[in-house]
Amino acid sequence: MKNILKYFMYGIVICFALGLMFYCIIFWNKVVSLVTGSYPAVGNYYISFHQDEDDNVTALVYYEQNIYNEPIDLSNLNLYVKSNRGYFINKDDIYDDNQIRKMLLEQGLAKIIDENIATKKEISYQKNAIKNEVGIWEIEEKNKSFITLHSIYNKLKSFIRSNLGRIIKWIIFTGIGVSTLFLLLKKWISRRRIDTILMGGISSGKTTVLKRIEKPSITEGKLLTEVTTTKAGQIIKCDRIAYKNKDIYPYLFDNQGDNYGEMIDAINKFGLKKSDKKVMVYVISFTQKNSSSDFDYKLANSQISKAAVLIKSFKTSRSLKKVKKIIVFFNKCDLLYDNETEFIKNKKNIEDLYKKTTDYKEIDDYADTIIYGSALKGWGIDDIKDEILSIN
């Protein structure tokens, strides 16, 4: 449904853009008139009026060249034009006195003095100008001594009343309605959505954590079979994970040499794009192996130091995309204890081991949640999912 609405909106936008483009091509002069409000703007398609010392008014009509230059008959007309000012004309017309009189009356640039001696056609031209409120009949401009024909307001009003204007109004109102529906639907969908990116040191067990979140009941043997090492510098968008009443959209990122700068770039440019609910799960391990119970202080200290820099940056920098919650998961605790009971009983000892590292306090200060467990065994995985869902 979401994709259908999205493509429908794209279709409306494309149709509107094409319609606008064709209109601009076909009615280029009208577009220029609407934008500039003055003439000439493109080529010489205008008429100007000049009054000599004997009060004779000469009209100069320009269409690529001067085609009319002689006094005109203005009997029974009051003229409201500015000398040497250019006005738009229809370039397809052949101009003579009658055509100029018609243009003046239709555009509100002249007024009939005595309607009793005016022709029916000229009276109808003036009535149209009054109805359209152009030139001297323009209501908002009636107090001015001179009214320019090409008021942007009048052009817009005239355009809106046209057939094309009504079509565009229909498209706009339909677009607003569909957009509102789309935004409401998107809001409802985003309320359920939580974008989550998994990061961490090399061989810390990020992929195993993700697989265990996806398939809580998977056996250890099958889990080890399905897990493959991610390519350094690769970001993987994974399948949606439905959990309780929310949808978790996970991204898995691995980078060369635990470079936290690349991790920041990954979050800013690739991950966590769709939702306001953004969570980072940072995985740390004291060993890169899966068969050793020796606590490698050097490795743990290195991973914690890099994690501390990254987490502190996201919590304190104003220039980075905000992550609503940062969860640190200390993985592979199953290598220290044989079963979950022993692990829970001695969990304090594991915390003490990690606390001996140099930058553990930074993690403790800036991370929202610290969880200890084992992705392979499933220890602490439900805690991770519940913490992800608890985001406001």
PDB file of all heavy atoms in Angstrom, residues 338-350:
ATOM      1  N   ASP A 338      30.246 -22.116  31.725  1.00  0.00           N
ATOM      2  CA  ASP A 338      29.694 -23.257  30.998  1.00  0.00           C
ATOM      3  C   ASP A 338      28.197 -23.156  30.749  1.00  0.00           C
ATOM      4  O   ASP A 338      27.695 -23.658  29.754  1.00  0.00           O
ATOM      5  CB  ASP A 338      29.978 -24.567  31.761  1.00  0.00           C
ATOM      6  CG  ASP A 338      31.481 -24.849  31.819  1.00  0.00           C
ATOM      7  OD1 ASP A 338      32.178 -24.430  30.873  1.00  0.00           O
ATOM      8  OD2 ASP A 338      31.937 -25.467  32.793  1.00  0.00           O
ATOM      9  N   ASN A 339      27.462 -22.532  31.649  1.00  0.00           N
ATOM     10  CA  ASN A 339      26.008 -22.477  31.493  1.00  0.00           C
ATOM     11  C   ASN A 339      25.484 -21.127  31.959  1.00  0.00           C
ATOM     12  O   ASN A 339      26.200 -20.356  32.602  1.00  0.00           O
ATOM     13  CB  ASN A 339      25.336 -23.618  32.271  1.00  0.00           C
ATOM     14  CG  ASN A 339      25.736 -23.617  33.737  1.00  0.00           C
ATOM     15  OD1 ASN A 339      25.412 -22.707  34.475  1.00  0.00           O
ATOM     16  ND2 ASN A 339      26.480 -24.672  34.165  1.00  0.00           N
ATOM     17  N   GLU A 340      24.217 -20.889  31.649  1.00  0.00           N
ATOM     18  CA  GLU A 340      23.629 -19.583  31.939  1.00  0.00           C
ATOM     19  C   GLU A 340      23.500 -19.332  33.433  1.00  0.00           C
ATOM     20  O   GLU A 340      23.631 -18.199  33.896  1.00  0.00           O
ATOM     21  CB  GLU A 340      22.254 -19.459  31.272  1.00  0.00           C
ATOM     22  CG  GLU A 340      21.679 -18.061  31.311  1.00  0.00           C
ATOM     23  CD  GLU A 340      20.443 -17.896  30.459  1.00  0.00           C
ATOM     24  OE1 GLU A 340      19.933 -18.913  29.922  1.00  0.00           O
ATOM     25  OE2 GLU A 340      19.984 -16.748  30.307  1.00  0.00           O
ATOM     26  N   THR A 341      23.281 -20.385  34.184  1.00  0.00           N
ATOM     27  CA  THR A 341      23.164 -20.228  35.639  1.00  0.00           C
ATOM     28  C   THR A 341      24.464 -19.704  36.234  1.00  0.00           C
ATOM     29  O   THR A 341      24.468 -18.768  37.059  1.00  0.00           O
ATOM     30  CB  THR A 341      22.801 -21.565  36.292  1.00  0.00           C
ATOM     31  OG1 THR A 341      21.580 -22.055  35.712  1.00  0.00           O
ATOM     32  CG2 THR A 341      22.625 -21.409  37.793  1.00  0.00           C
ATOM     33  N   GLU A 342      25.573 -20.311  35.808  1.00  0.00           N
ATOM     34  CA  GLU A 342      26.883 -19.857  36.282  1.00  0.00           C
ATOM     35  C   GLU A 342      27.173 -18.429  35.813  1.00  0.00           C
ATOM     36  O   GLU A 342      27.750 -17.624  36.533  1.00  0.00           O
ATOM     37  CB  GLU A 342      27.981 -20.804  35.777  1.00  0.00           C
ATOM     38  CG  GLU A 342      28.018 -22.145  36.491  1.00  0.00           C
ATOM     39  CD  GLU A 342      28.408 -21.975  37.949  1.00  0.00           C
ATOM     40  OE1 GLU A 342      29.398 -21.261  38.228  1.00  0.00           O
ATOM     41  OE2 GLU A 342      27.713 -22.547  38.817  1.00  0.00           O
ATOM     42  N   PHE A 343      26.756 -18.159  34.589  1.00  0.00           N
ATOM     43  CA  PHE A 343      26.963 -16.817  34.027  1.00  0.00           C
ATOM     44  C   PHE A 343      26.223 -15.764  34.863  1.00  0.00           C
ATOM     45  O   PHE A 343      26.790 -14.748  35.261  1.00  0.00           O
ATOM     46  CB  PHE A 343      26.484 -16.789  32.570  1.00  0.00           C
ATOM     47  CG  PHE A 343      26.133 -15.425  32.058  1.00  0.00           C
ATOM     48  CD1 PHE A 343      27.092 -14.433  31.927  1.00  0.00           C
ATOM     49  CD2 PHE A 343      24.819 -15.106  31.717  1.00  0.00           C
ATOM     50  CE1 PHE A 343      26.758 -13.167  31.464  1.00  0.00           C
ATOM     51  CE2 PHE A 343      24.478 -13.847  31.249  1.00  0.00           C
ATOM     52  CZ  PHE A 343      25.447 -12.879  31.124  1.00  0.00           C
ATOM     53  N   ILE A 344      24.951 -16.029  35.146  1.00  0.00           N
ATOM     54  CA  ILE A 344      24.160 -15.071  35.930  1.00  0.00           C
ATOM     55  C   ILE A 344      24.732 -14.919  37.332  1.00  0.00           C
ATOM     56  O   ILE A 344      24.818 -13.805  37.875  1.00  0.00           O
ATOM     57  CB  ILE A 344      22.688 -15.528  35.984  1.00  0.00           C
ATOM     58  CG1 ILE A 344      22.070 -15.468  34.572  1.00  0.00           C
ATOM     59  CG2 ILE A 344      21.884 -14.659  36.947  1.00  0.00           C
ATOM     60  CD1 ILE A 344      20.686 -16.058  34.469  1.00  0.00           C
ATOM     61  N   LYS A 345      25.157 -16.054  37.901  1.00  0.00           N
ATOM     62  CA  LYS A 345      25.697 -16.044  39.264  1.00  0.00           C
ATOM     63  C   LYS A 345      26.985 -15.238  39.343  1.00  0.00           C
ATOM     64  O   LYS A 345      27.252 -14.557  40.340  1.00  0.00           O
ATOM     65  CB  LYS A 345      25.936 -17.490  39.715  1.00  0.00           C
ATOM     66  CG  LYS A 345      26.455 -17.625  41.135  1.00  0.00           C
ATOM     67  CD  LYS A 345      26.647 -19.096  41.484  1.00  0.00           C
ATOM     68  CE  LYS A 345      27.217 -19.254  42.882  1.00  0.00           C
ATOM     69  NZ  LYS A 345      27.425 -20.680  43.221  1.00  0.00           N
ATOM     70  N   ASN A 346      27.792 -15.289  38.291  1.00  0.00           N
ATOM     71  CA  ASN A 346      29.107 -14.635  38.297  1.00  0.00           C
ATOM     72  C   ASN A 346      29.170 -13.402  37.389  1.00  0.00           C
ATOM     73  O   ASN A 346      30.267 -12.971  37.005  1.00  0.00           O
ATOM     74  CB  ASN A 346      30.187 -15.635  37.862  1.00  0.00           C
ATOM     75  CG  ASN A 346      30.336 -16.774  38.848  1.00  0.00           C
ATOM     76  OD1 ASN A 346      30.951 -16.630  39.899  1.00  0.00           O
ATOM     77  ND2 ASN A 346      29.767 -17.922  38.503  1.00  0.00           N
ATOM     78  N   LYS A 347      28.041 -12.874  37.061  1.00  0.00           N
ATOM     79  CA  LYS A 347      27.995 -11.725  36.146  1.00  0.00           C
ATOM     80  C   LYS A 347      28.806 -10.543  36.686  1.00  0.00           C
ATOM     81  O   LYS A 347      29.473  -9.829  35.940  1.00  0.00           O
ATOM     82  CB  LYS A 347      26.543 -11.317  35.927  1.00  0.00           C
ATOM     83  CG  LYS A 347      26.346 -10.230  34.886  1.00  0.00           C
ATOM     84  CD  LYS A 347      24.870  -9.943  34.675  1.00  0.00           C
ATOM     85  CE  LYS A 347      24.674  -8.796  33.717  1.00  0.00           C
ATOM     86  NZ  LYS A 347      23.226  -8.474  33.536  1.00  0.00           N
ATOM     87  N   LYS A 348      28.768 -10.362  37.997  1.00  0.00           N
ATOM     88  CA  LYS A 348      29.524  -9.265  38.620  1.00  0.00           C
ATOM     89  C   LYS A 348      31.011  -9.400  38.337  1.00  0.00           C
ATOM     90  O   LYS A 348      31.716  -8.395  38.132  1.00  0.00           O
ATOM     91  CB  LYS A 348      29.264  -9.275  40.135  1.00  0.00           C
ATOM     92  CG  LYS A 348      29.963  -8.179  40.922  1.00  0.00           C
ATOM     93  CD  LYS A 348      29.398  -6.813  40.568  1.00  0.00           C
ATOM     94  CE  LYS A 348      29.886  -5.740  41.541  1.00  0.00           C
ATOM     95  NZ  LYS A 348      31.330  -5.616  41.609  1.00  0.00           N
ATOM     96  N   ASN A 349      31.511 -10.631  38.310  1.00  0.00           N
ATOM     97  CA  ASN A 349      32.936 -10.843  38.026  1.00  0.00           C
ATOM     98  C   ASN A 349      33.291 -10.406  36.602  1.00  0.00           C
ATOM     99  O   ASN A 349      34.374  -9.865  36.364  1.00  0.00           O
ATOM    100  CB  ASN A 349      33.299 -12.324  38.206  1.00  0.00           C
ATOM    101  CG  ASN A 349      33.155 -12.763  39.649  1.00  0.00           C
ATOM    102  OD1 ASN A 349      33.241 -11.953  40.577  1.00  0.00           O
ATOM    103  ND2 ASN A 349      32.924 -14.053  39.870  1.00  0.00           N
ATOM    104  N   ILE A 350      32.365 -10.646  35.638  1.00  0.00           N
ATOM    105  CA  ILE A 350      32.617 -10.238  34.251  1.00  0.00           C
ATOM    106  C   ILE A 350      32.648  -8.713  34.174  1.00  0.00           C
ATOM    107  O   ILE A 350      33.514  -8.133  33.510  1.00  0.00           O
ATOM    108  CB  ILE A 350      31.522 -10.790  33.313  1.00  0.00           C
ATOM    109  CG1 ILE A 350      31.445 -12.308  33.421  1.00  0.00           C
ATOM    110  CG2 ILE A 350      31.793 -10.373  31.870  1.00  0.00           C
ATOM    111  CD1 ILE A 350      30.321 -12.920  32.630  1.00  0.00           C
TER     112      ILE A 350
END
